[in-house]
Amino acid sequence: MKPLLTCILVAFCISIAVAQPNIKDNSTTHNSELKDAIITGKVIDKETKDPLEYATVSFFSKKENKIVAGSITDMEGNFSIRVPKGVYDISIEYISFKTIKIFDRDISKNENIGVFELEVDIESLGEVEIIAERTTVEIKLDKKIYNIGKDLTTAGGTVSDALNNVPSVSVDIEGAISLRGNENVRILINGKPSAMAGFGDTNVLSQLPAEAIERVEVITSPSARYDAEGTAGILNIILRQKETLGFNGSLTLTGGNPEYVGAATNINYRTEKFNLFSNLGFRYFDAPRNSYSNTTYLDQIEDGNIIAPEYEQIIEDQDVTRLNRNFNANIGMEYFLSKKTSITGSLFYRYGEDADLSKVYSDRFNSNTLVEQTLRNEKQDEDGNNYQIALNYITKFNNEGHELTADFQYETGSETQYTAIDEDYIITNETNPDPFQNEIEDETEDEKEYLVQVDYVLPIGKNARFEAGYRGNFKNEVKDYILQQEDITNGSFYINDTLTNVFDYSENINAIYSQYGTKFGKFSFLLGLRLENTQLKGKIDSRLTDEELQEAYGFPIDTDFDNNYFGLFPTLNLIYNIGGDDSDSEESITLGYNRRINRPRGYYINPFPTRSSRTNVFQGNPNISPAFASAFDIGYLKRWDKLTFTTSVYYQYETDSFERIEETTGQQTTDGIDIIRTIPVNLSSNARTGGEFGFLYNPNKWLRLNSSFNIFQFKTKGEFNDVDYSAENTSWFARLSSKVTLPSKIDWQTNAFYRGAQEDAQTETDGILSIDLAFSKEILNDNATISLNVRDLLNSRKRDALTTTDSFIRESEMQWRQRQINLSFMYRFNQQKQRNERNRNNNGDDDEMDF
């Protein structure tokens, strides 16, 4: 392994050298020699006299109040650092060893400062790993920060798997993410919307490796600095970026059942002048899913006459084989123009390729007798590319927080989908039944998005700060859909020009904001105001006129719309530190208020129905408008030595809230089955009240516990097509995670999650229990970890629901992903290790201390 890593390092360094301009300037060199000194030395183990590789040597300037130079030792324990001349505190550190500090050392010339012998810090040996693996929580004025520890259950998993272990957050069986039970949550990557989050489609997060996450910011009361999108709040995912000087990284390999093969790596190279970073990942997997539905159709009354359905009962069984291949790469470079100014550029690329095969058996009954059975085969091939280019500029005017940042981001994506559908009879009592029309769907979707953002921060005195900024976000998506249907007389295919269409949709947002925060005594507050203008613009290119579309789909449809919405979004966040006026107090109370907006996505607006099922379709609503919400939140935090406790209560009132309703379209399939559609609509209001609490408890070095509980109630009021969809529901979800360190460096982690039953105006959904189990062991001198995990141990993560309307009653069960068993191997190279080839104690007993 080591020769391979050496080759990688050499190739990496050669590429860096080639990329740097070869400029020789005698005057610059002479000037640098006058200002800087070359400091050399060596670091060794005091007991064994072995050199310590990757020990950190840093030079701290009291005048500038920061580290101005630093490096790590090479394989022989040597270091050589260019340091500006001056007076410094020098620190020599190595994990699990006692730090050596030299105070007020005058650096005025090139010199060797000697050999430093580090002693083992016995007390820290058992603690280092715990600190590195522990998940911790920080409370800020406008957010909670969860620093993700070493979560064994997500080894080889995805970002969605990791988010499902964050308090207040839940991920349902279809990959939809919700915050406090509300799915209207805004996903950001490193503080900005990103192609990594799939242009707002959170299912894309199931394609990114969990190892890429450093921390998750749960922002239930966002400040004015953030986009007002997302009535539930914001989840800001911060990706890992190594700060360690030198070349370092890790490689993770995963295999599993159902069929799963994955590889993920991050490689970083950092110097005092620049930082190169990368995250790469590949996955190939089979994700089989299945569903079941039992629909009873009711008699209808039309003009005083009772109309019986063609079939009284239809049972559908669906099995889907989903072969997925996807690759993602994020590479970038941060270049330090000066000590206070840097520019960062990054490129993100994602490629996905899916091959799905769906089989649906449909059994049709009258008087409890099977009268007909059909089989529908659907073969779907899909591939897509997404690119993102991002630039960030930051300059710090001083060391007190006075700074200016500017961001530019361009994203583009394309996706093609080819679907072939055929259906045939297996059982029928018809002598010569009409054959089904086979279909071919061709769909192409192109997306583009631009982001321009400028933020300015000005400290005012010691405890106050003013911020202001602008953000422009401009997005366009074009969906070109072609439907070909079979001519049953000769078997040829023709284009159905009444359903073929092009949907061109744009979302343009311009926003400015300002906010002011200060601290006095035990109080801190942040007051802000954001002004946003939203333009939702769309054009539907179809052979059908507006009148024909209204007749076909039952409501008015504007095929060329341009809607503008202007909004003011005030925010207020308060913290009272009960224990003192320090922001890191052991006990605090928070209060938050903010106003938010929920903008409809393109698929919520496109009125042309999906055709993955002939009898149950999803259809967008171009008349849907944004929803607005006001939210209040009161929180409490208490820290003890081994326990952190958090709790909060919240209330949110939303107007024009989105609801998905099911209704009959009044149309039937060619064989006489009523077509049911699901459509999003604006209901009048949605009031949500809830409370949550959680704790992080580490009673011993070998035991860590993490638990949270959330209960909420919502009330909706409103009607659509003269049907009242008002509803009231109380639900809850809870999670418990335990991690036990066993002998021989084996870790055992168990995660349990339960979501209570839910109910809306039409559907009752049963509770869902899911348990994940994992084991891991450190190997290869703690440079590698091998993990075995089982997600959904009981294979119980299924959604069972009962839907009741005036025209049908349906029982259904859906399992989006079956139980998954994964075996993962992670190797870390050139990262600080607990020890350096230290396998002996003074008695020469190799077994007494297991490193």
Side-chain angles (χ1 to χ4, degrees), residues 521-522 575-589 636-638:
K522 297 182 179 182
I575 286 184
Y576 175 67
N577 293 310
I578 299 174
D581 58 2
D582 189 340
S583 60
D584 294 324
S585 171
E586 298 297 322
E587 188 174 13
S588 62
I589 296 174
Y636 172 75
L637 166 72
K638 175 67 175 179

Side-chain angles (χ1 to χ4, degrees), residues 442-605:
D442 276 303
E443 185 174 83
T444 302
E445 186 171 356
D446 295 303
E447 300 171 296
K448 289 182 174 62
E449 185 169 356
Y450 297 87
L451 171 73
V452 180
Q453 182 173 333
V454 179
D455 297 290
Y456 176 72
V457 181
L458 175 66
I460 302 174
K462 183 179 179 180
N463 294 319
R465 187 176 70 176
F466 171 79
E467 295 183 51
Y470 162 81
R471 173 183 283 185
N473 205 78
F474 313 100
K475 180 167 60 177
N476 173 257
E477 59 183 59
V478 178
K479 183 174 291 187
D480 190 345
Y481 175 80
I482 299 174
L483 174 64
Q484 300 181 60
Q485 292 182 306
E486 182 185 19
D487 185 339
I488 57 177
T489 61
N490 56 26
S492 63
F493 284 81
Y494 65 93
I495 294 178
N496 183 328
D497 58 0
T498 61
L499 293 176
T500 296
N501 68 92
V502 177
F503 181 57
D504 189 333
Y505 178 65
S506 296
E507 178 184 282
N508 301 316
I509 304 166
N510 286 281
I512 58 174
Y513 80 92
S514 67
Q515 60 185 21
Y516 175 78
T518 189
K519 180 173 66 174
F520 48 92
K522 297 182 179 182
F523 286 95
S524 300
F525 79 85
L526 184 63
L527 176 65
L529 181 64
R530 187 177 185 91
L531 184 153
E532 288 190 354
N533 176 258
T534 300
Q535 180 191 41
L536 303 180
K537 182 178 181 181
K539 184 175 182 179
I540 302 170
D541 185 1
S542 168
R543 188 188 69 79
L544 299 179
T545 65
D546 290 4
E547 291 76 15
E548 289 173 326
L549 284 170
Q550 178 176 348
E551 182 178 352
Y553 300 124
F555 56 87
I557 294 176
D558 187 354
T559 56
D560 190 357
F561 59 90
D562 187 352
N563 300 322
N564 282 267
Y565 305 90
F566 178 83
L568 285 173
F569 302 94
T571 63
L572 174 63
N573 291 287
L574 300 171
I575 286 184
Y576 175 67
N577 293 310
I578 299 174
D581 58 2
D582 189 340
S583 60
D584 294 324
S585 171
E586 298 297 322
E587 188 174 13
S588 62
I589 296 174
T590 61
L591 171 65
Y593 163 77
N594 65 93
R595 187 170 186 259
R596 311 288 294 164
I597 186 174
N598 183 6
R599 304 181 184 95
R601 301 298 177 189
Y603 71 94
Y604 259 38
I605 293 179

Side-chain angles (χ1 to χ4, degrees), residues 578-767:
I578 299 174
D581 58 2
D582 189 340
S583 60
D584 294 324
S585 171
E586 298 297 322
E587 188 174 13
S588 62
I589 296 174
T590 61
L591 171 65
Y593 163 77
N594 65 93
R595 187 170 186 259
R596 311 288 294 164
I597 186 174
N598 183 6
R599 304 181 184 95
R601 301 298 177 189
Y603 71 94
Y604 259 38
I605 293 179
N606 189 345
F608 287 90
T610 61
R611 297 186 66 79
S612 57
S613 169
R614 292 190 307 118
T615 57
N616 292 276
V617 301
F618 177 85
Q619 180 181 359
N621 178 5
N623 302 314
I624 199 168
S625 58
F628 293 86
S630 292
F632 300 86
D633 187 290
I634 300 176
Y636 172 75
L637 166 72
K638 175 67 175 179
R639 289 191 184 100
W640 291 271
D641 181 38
K642 298 180 179 181
L643 174 67
T644 299
F645 174 76
T646 62
T647 185
S648 64
V649 293
Y650 54 89
Y651 173 78
Q652 181 187 86
Y653 185 79
E654 183 176 2
T655 58
D656 289 329
S657 62
F658 298 168
E659 295 291 336
R660 293 161 59 118
I661 62 173
E662 293 188 71
E663 62 178 10
T664 56
T665 61
Q667 301 174 345
Q668 293 184 327
T669 62
T670 54
D671 49 346
I673 302 174
D674 289 337
I675 298 175
I676 301 168
R677 71 176 174 191
T678 301
I679 184 171
V681 299
N682 288 113
L683 289 183
S684 60
S685 67
N686 185 343
R688 183 181 296 263
T689 307
E692 62 180 342
F693 71 83
F695 68 82
L696 300 170
Y697 183 43
N698 303 307
N700 296 287
K701 294 179 181 179
W702 55 270
L703 177 63
R704 279 140 282 173
L705 299 174
N706 179 355
S707 180
S708 63
F709 176 82
N710 192 305
I711 184 169
F712 55 89
Q713 180 188 74
F714 67 82
K715 298 179 181 180
T716 59
K717 293 182 179 180
E719 63 177 39
F720 179 72
N721 284 348
D722 298 324
V723 177
D724 186 1
Y725 291 100
S726 299
E728 181 175 331
N729 175 61
T730 299
S731 187
W732 59 278
F733 63 87
R735 60 166 47 86
L736 173 65
S737 175
S738 67
K739 187 173 181 182
V740 179
T741 300
L742 302 173
S744 300
K745 290 187 178 179
I746 297 175
D747 283 333
W748 165 26
Q749 182 172 327
T750 304
N751 289 351
F753 175 84
Y754 184 82
R755 188 181 69 192
Q758 300 183 79
E759 182 180 354
D760 59 24
Q762 293 182 306
T763 303
E764 300 175 12
T765 305
D766 293 343

Side-chain angles (χ1 to χ4, degrees), residues 9-152:
L9 172 60
V10 172
F12 198 87
C13 294
I14 290 174
S15 67
I16 294 170
V18 172
Q20 301 302 309
N22 186 16
I23 300 174
K24 295 183 178 180
D25 189 330
N26 293 331
S27 62
T28 302
T29 302
H30 177 69
N31 189 44
S32 176
E33 290 175 353
L34 290 176
K35 293 182 178 180
D36 298 343
I38 305 298
I39 304 302
T40 58
K42 187 171 184 176
V43 182
I44 65 173
D45 185 323
K46 183 176 182 178
E47 182 179 335
T48 66
K49 307 304 179 184
D50 292 333
L52 292 177
E53 186 183 1
Y54 314 123
T56 301
V57 183
S58 55
F59 291 75
F60 181 84
S61 171
K62 293 180 180 178
K63 182 178 179 181
E64 298 186 40
N65 193 31
K66 68 175 184 177
I67 296 175
V68 298
S71 183
I72 59 175
T73 56
D74 61 18
M75 294 177 62
E76 302 302 323
N78 297 316
F79 62 87
S80 178
I81 307 172
R82 181 183 294 275
V83 184
K85 295 178 180 179
V87 178
Y88 299 97
D89 292 343
I90 305 174
S91 178
I92 300 94
E93 302 175 72
Y94 192 77
I95 195 167
S96 299
F97 285 74
K98 294 179 180 179
T99 298
I100 291 179
K101 288 187 177 291
I102 303 171
F103 297 98
D104 298 324
R105 181 64 179 261
D106 187 4
I107 303 298
S108 58
K109 61 180 180 180
N110 297 348
E111 62 176 312
N112 186 309
I113 59 176
V115 177
F116 298 92
E117 298 182 344
L118 298 187
E119 293 184 76
V120 176
D121 188 351
I122 299 297
E123 293 182 357
S124 70
L125 287 178
E127 299 174 0
V128 173
E129 187 178 3
I130 294 174
I131 294 172
E133 295 180 0
R134 186 174 58 198
T135 297
T136 60
V137 60
E138 300 175 46
I139 305 297
K140 301 296 183 183
L141 266 171
D142 57 349
K143 58 194 168 189
K144 295 178 183 176
I145 302 173
Y146 293 92
N147 299 295
I148 302 299
K150 186 179 177 184
D151 191 336
L152 306 181

Side-chain angles (χ1 to χ4, degrees), residues 360-362 364 372-377 421-428 433-438 614 671:
V360 182
Y361 288 91
S362 180
R364 297 152 190 184
E372 192 169 87
Q373 184 183 59
T374 64
L375 172 61
R376 178 183 173 91
N377 292 296
I421 302 171
D422 67 82
E423 191 167 1
D424 207 348
Y425 296 97
I426 297 176
I427 299 173
T428 181
D434 293 331
F436 297 104
Q437 276 187 309
N438 294 331
R614 292 190 307 118
D671 49 346

